[in-house]
């Protein structure tokens, strides 16, 4: 079993934080083993319950066996029907317990071969007042015993390997304990940590003295960490479950005795000491988990209310009846690495359980931990370009920050088993454009449950209708700067929907379009105020596990997809329905034109994309992208999974038997921008292959229109960003589309590869009639446009 910093998840069926007065049923719904103390045996169902009984205890009847928590035939799900009447399903047979042949008298054979609809599958649970053990009795109304089944017939185990039958007496053979399949705490040795004082519970050496008021005498008390101190170490051993909860023996390794209450007093100020022998009833402790804080709670097992363990102001451990923070503790496995400004016993290098008690633990290189807990007095900061992997549990009461800057963004690469508890802060660095211009960004947040005003609006201006009335930063026009995407609207009908208030929550994985002016130092009254770098930050509930994307259900429409993870994702590794075109992705590159523009990339990659953009198949943390539906297929679903993550941003070499396609990439630059080594205005890609076709299909990427210049090809009245075609025949022409030219001078940059030896391609300028042969590698073609000459700017 994996080591745990503490146990997070109880069996979903077991219990709430309080079990005592007002308990609604004698056993909480859940999965248990049924254990006989008399015979030291656990009830088990045979694999085949349909055979005749041959007298063999392994056939037909339930029987006694050695306990095995991994054996489903020893697992029984109790389902309350009301008035402490239950149906009991065996996990191995997936059928319900009942009486064979409807025989309800003495020696009625009990088997687990009944359907849910069978009438003879109800049993009433009671508890022996002396032993506290449970008794399971027939609750059928058709057993000729009357409505209360008098005389009663109880489950009876005759020996450690005997068969289970019904019998009319109430002897020890008919008394059972219930043991949880998934108890609150794994058996093991722990330190007991309290965040209230950042200290650990300890037992005094001499627990036989009278209490003199000195916290080091008699009572358990709190003390600073001492690695070598056995009196700070407690061995937890799960015993069984009863109506009060899950019962443990807690042995202090220093005294070698069990924790219990002095003088059997479990009211307010009952003193907690570690001086009881095995078998003493005073040492039966109820262990539970607070649902809100996920902290561990302790109570003395008692038939009446018995108060929670409580940390007093002078450091003693007593009992008290409230539910304050003084009664919430954390179990820390004995081999945990603890940080309070320095490490004990050593700096973790990978695979450890980690407790951050105080100060800031800075993670500056990749590390893989089993679990990590951060107290309210501490923080963890993962630096950009660093990757944290956690196997089982990440819990924080303090600050837990994934940083982002120009060098990169910190990532969390969790396993399928990871549980995250507490609020996480994620950052997304957004650099200003080289020309200090403002542009839209396509964003998504890995955290949710935090409103926009308490997150991104803390770092950048967000404007909208109604101005300050709706939480926006007011401007003269109050034009909206943040939008979501309505997938219920067809793309051509402008599905952008402005955010109506910044008091609404950010949703994890929800894609947004946000106009970034820069940080909050920008003067909103001056549209020429240059943009600045900004780091957006949000603190909320981090998404882990699978994530299903909201998509468009229209053929050939676009879906706006946000990265739900604090990790790089490979778009090729998402799970797609048959209606999604997985050959292309459409990014918004804010460096293009005046406000940014769309770039189209090929999936899975391998051939250079038309654009110079660094967008590729790897979707960054905090980034969103468009994907498009096919004209065929009906399943438009898209799902992220943990295996979609690609933290290194690279993939192993892909081997292929296909010859590489001929490609021609065409970029258009304003001449001055090209001279200054700035980005292009737009780009187009052509893919030619022997097996290609000239139809419009899923191998062709439809153009997403830019606010400025658009470059593409025209085929069947559709504008394409990347077109796949067959190798052309002689004199065949492919019309290009180019619009919104001004009076500037322009440069085409051509990049070509894998050109066939027997084919020559030319770029034909229809205005000047200049014809330029397309050569392997890079080449340039210059031209100008004049708005006064309509032919020179003709599309």
């Amino acid at each position: 079993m994996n080591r745990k910093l503490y146990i997070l998840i109880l069996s979903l069926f077991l219990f709430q934080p309080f079990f005592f007065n007002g308990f609604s049923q004698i056993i909480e719904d859940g999965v248990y083993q049924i254990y006989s103390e008399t015979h030291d045996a656990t009830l088990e169902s045979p694999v085949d319950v349909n055979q005749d009984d041959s007298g063999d205890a392994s056939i037909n009847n339930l029987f006694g066996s050695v306990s095995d928590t991994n054996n489903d035939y020893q697992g029984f799900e109790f389902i309350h029907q009301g008035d402490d009447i239950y149906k009991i399903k065996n996990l191995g047979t997936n059928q319900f317990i009942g009486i064979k042949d409807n025989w309800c008298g003495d020696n009625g054979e009990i088997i687990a071969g009944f359907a849910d609809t069978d009438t003879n599958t109800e049993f009433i649970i009671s508890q022996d007042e002396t032993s506290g053990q449970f008794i399971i009795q027939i609750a059928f109304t058709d057993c000729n015993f009357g409505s209360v089944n008098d005389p009663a017939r109880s489950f009876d185990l005759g020996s450690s390997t005997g068969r289970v039958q019904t019998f009319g007496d109430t002897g020890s053979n008919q008394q059972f304990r219930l043991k949880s399949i998934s108890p609150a705490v794994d058996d093991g040795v722990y330190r007991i940590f309290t965040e209230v004082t950042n200290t650990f519970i300890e037992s005094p050496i001499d627990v036989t003295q009278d209490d003199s008021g000195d916290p080091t005498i008699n009572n358990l008390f709190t003390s600073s960490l001492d690695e070598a101190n056995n009196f700070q170490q407690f061995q937890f051993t799960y015993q069984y479950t009863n109506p009060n909860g899950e019962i443990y023996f807690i042995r202090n390794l220093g005294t070698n005795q069990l924790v219990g209450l002095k003088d059997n007093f479990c009211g307010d100020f009952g003193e907690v000491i570690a001086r009881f022998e095995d078998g003493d009833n005073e040492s039966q402790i109820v262990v539970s988990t607070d649902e809100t804080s996920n902290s561990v709670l302790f109570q003395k097992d008692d038939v009446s209310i018995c108060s929670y363990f409580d940390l007093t102001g002078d450091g003693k451990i007593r009992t008290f009846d409230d539910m304050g923070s003084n009664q919430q503790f954390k179990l820390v496995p004995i081999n945990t690495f603890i940080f309070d400004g320095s490490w004990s016993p050593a700096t973790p290098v990978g695979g450890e359980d980690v407790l951050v008690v105080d100060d800031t633990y800075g993670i500056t290189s990749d590390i893989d931990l089993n679990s990590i807990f951060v107290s309210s007095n501490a923080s963890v900061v993962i630096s950009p370009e660093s990757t944290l992997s956690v196997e089982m549990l990440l819990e924080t009461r303090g600050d837990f920050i994934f940083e982002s800057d120009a060098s990169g963004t910190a990532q969390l690469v969790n396993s399928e088993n990871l549980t995250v508890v507490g609020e996480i802060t994620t950052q997304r660095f957004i650099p200003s454009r080289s020309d200090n211009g403002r542009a839209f960004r396509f964003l998504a947040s890995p955290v949710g449950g935090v409103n926009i005003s308490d997150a991104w609006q803390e770092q950048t201006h967000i404007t909208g209708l109604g101005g300050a009335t709706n939480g926006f930063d007011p401007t003269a026009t109050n034009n909206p700067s943040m939008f979501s995407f309505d997938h219920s609207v067809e793309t051509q009908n402008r599905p952008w929907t402005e955010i109506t208030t910044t008091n609404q929550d950010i949703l994890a994985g929800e894609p947004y379009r946000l106009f970034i002016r820069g940080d909050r130092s920008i003067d909103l009254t001056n549209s020429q105020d240059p943009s600045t770098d900004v780091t957006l930050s949000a603190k909320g509930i981090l998404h882990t596990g699978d994530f299903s994307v909201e998509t468009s259900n229209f053929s050939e429409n676009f879906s706006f997809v946000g990265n739900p993870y604090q990790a790089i994702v490979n778009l090729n590794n998402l799970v797609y329905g048959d209606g999604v075109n997985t050959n292309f992705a459409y990014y918004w590159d804010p460096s293009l034109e005046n406000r940014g523009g769309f770039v189209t990339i090929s999936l899975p990659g391998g051939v250079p994309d038309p654009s110079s953009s660094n967008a590729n198949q790897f979707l960054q943390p905090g980034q969103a992208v468009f994907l498009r539906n096919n004209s065929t297929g009906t399943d438009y679903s898209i799902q992220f999974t943990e295996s979609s993550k690609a933290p290194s941003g690279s993939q192993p070499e892909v081997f292929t038997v296909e010859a590489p396609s001929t490609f021609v990439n065409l970029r258009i630059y304003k001449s001055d921008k090209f001279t200054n080594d700035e980005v292009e205005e737009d780009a187009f890609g052509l893919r030619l292959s022997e097996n290609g076709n000239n139809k419009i299909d899923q191998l062709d990427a439809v153009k997403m229109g830019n606010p400025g210049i658009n470059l593409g090809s025209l085929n069947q009245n559709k504008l394409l960003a990347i077109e796949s075609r067959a190798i052309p025949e002689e004199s065949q022409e492919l019309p290009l589309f180019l619009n919104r030219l001004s009076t500037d001078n322009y440069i085409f940059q051509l990049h070509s590869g894998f050109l066939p030896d027997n084919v020559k391609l030319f770029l034909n300028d229809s205005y000047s009639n200049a014809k330029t042969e397309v050569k392997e590698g890079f080449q340039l073609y210059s031209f100008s446009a004049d708005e006064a000459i309509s032919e020179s700017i003709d599309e």
Side-chain angles (χ1 to χ4, degrees), residues 185-207:
V185 176
D186 286 345
D187 286 3
V189 179
Y190 300 87
R191 295 185 179 90
I192 304 175
F193 173 71
T194 171
E195 287 186 80
V196 175
T197 56
N198 266 13
T199 52
F200 297 84
I201 293 180
E202 181 176 333
S203 172
I205 297 173
D206 188 347
V207 293

Side-chain angles (χ1 to χ4, degrees), residues 146-280:
S147 61
V148 295
N149 300 314
D150 186 16
R153 291 295 182 269
S154 304
F155 286 15
D156 185 285
L157 179 63
S159 69
S160 61
T161 58
R163 295 177 295 172
V164 180
Q165 297 178 322
T166 57
F167 222 82
D169 62 39
T170 56
S172 60
N173 286 345
Q174 297 175 343
Q175 297 188 9
F176 300 93
R177 299 287 191 193
L178 295 188
K179 291 191 172 184
S180 172
I181 299 297
S182 178
V185 176
D186 286 345
D187 286 3
V189 179
Y190 300 87
R191 295 185 179 90
I192 304 175
F193 173 71
T194 171
E195 287 186 80
V196 175
T197 56
N198 266 13
T199 52
F200 297 84
I201 293 180
E202 181 176 333
S203 172
I205 297 173
D206 188 347
V207 293
T208 61
Q209 305 176 67
D210 290 333
D211 186 351
S212 64
D214 184 341
T216 65
I217 295 178
N218 207 286
N219 290 61
L220 299 185
F221 61 97
T222 57
S223 181
S224 58
L225 174 67
D226 182 353
E227 282 282 341
N229 188 349
N230 287 342
F231 294 92
Q232 289 185 0
Q233 300 178 20
F234 297 84
Q235 183 175 35
F236 282 66
T237 309
Y238 170 66
Q239 302 300 303
Y240 52 83
T241 299
N242 74 8
N244 291 337
E246 295 190 339
I247 308 302
Y248 283 78
F249 288 157
I250 304 175
R251 181 184 302 278
N252 182 267
L253 297 193
T255 67
N256 198 33
Q257 292 181 300
L258 300 176
V259 171
L261 299 192
K262 180 185 177 185
D263 304 325
N264 193 27
F265 182 73
C266 58
D268 290 350
F269 304 111
E271 300 175 56
V272 182
I273 60 177
R275 72 172 187 192
F276 292 92
E277 301 293 339
D278 291 358
D280 195 309

Side-chain angles (χ1 to χ4, degrees), residues 13-184:
F13 310 101
L14 292 184
F15 50 86
Q16 304 300 319
F18 15 73
F19 313 90
F20 302 90
N21 281 1
F23 197 82
S24 60
Q25 58 195 65
I26 194 169
I27 299 170
E28 283 290 85
D29 285 12
V31 178
Y32 304 90
Q33 285 186 332
I34 304 173
Y35 174 72
S36 169
E37 284 189 344
T38 299
H39 298 296
D40 190 22
T42 298
L43 300 195
E44 181 175 335
S45 171
V47 175
D48 189 348
V49 293
N50 297 312
Q51 304 175 67
D52 288 334
D53 186 355
S54 64
D56 184 340
S58 65
I59 295 178
N60 206 284
N61 288 62
L62 300 188
F63 60 95
S65 184
V66 177
S67 177
D68 179 1
T69 56
N70 294 316
N71 184 350
D72 282 347
Y73 293 94
Q74 292 184 5
F76 295 87
E77 181 180 1
F78 283 66
I79 306 169
H80 191 227
Q81 308 296 302
D83 297 326
D84 290 331
I85 293 175
Y86 290 79
K87 288 188 174 184
I88 306 172
K89 179 190 286 188
N90 182 266
L91 297 191
T93 66
N94 199 34
Q95 292 179 299
F96 289 83
I97 290 176
I99 305 298
K100 182 185 177 186
D101 303 326
N102 195 26
W103 170 244
C104 306
D106 291 349
N107 305 116
E109 300 175 57
I110 300 171
I111 62 175
F114 292 89
D116 184 24
T117 54
D118 197 290
T119 57
N120 292 349
T121 56
E122 293 188 341
F123 298 92
I124 189 166
I125 309 297
S126 59
Q127 191 174 29
D128 183 84
E129 291 185 1
T130 303
S131 68
Q133 299 194 60
F134 294 110
I135 299 169
I136 305 172
Q137 296 175 332
I138 294 170
F140 317 152
T141 57
D142 56 354
C143 284
N144 301 318
F145 300 145
S147 61
V148 295
N149 300 314
D150 186 16
R153 291 295 182 269
S154 304
F155 286 15
D156 185 285
L157 179 63
S159 69
S160 61
T161 58
R163 295 177 295 172
V164 180
Q165 297 178 322
T166 57
F167 222 82
D169 62 39
T170 56
S172 60
N173 286 345
Q174 297 175 343
Q175 297 188 9
F176 300 93
R177 299 287 191 193
L178 295 188
K179 291 191 172 184
S180 172
I181 299 297
S182 178

Side-chain angles (χ1 to χ4, degrees), residues 623-634:
Q623 191 176 30
V625 68
F626 274 100
L627 297 169
R628 188 170 183 260
N629 293 338
N630 285 325
S631 58
T632 59
T634 57

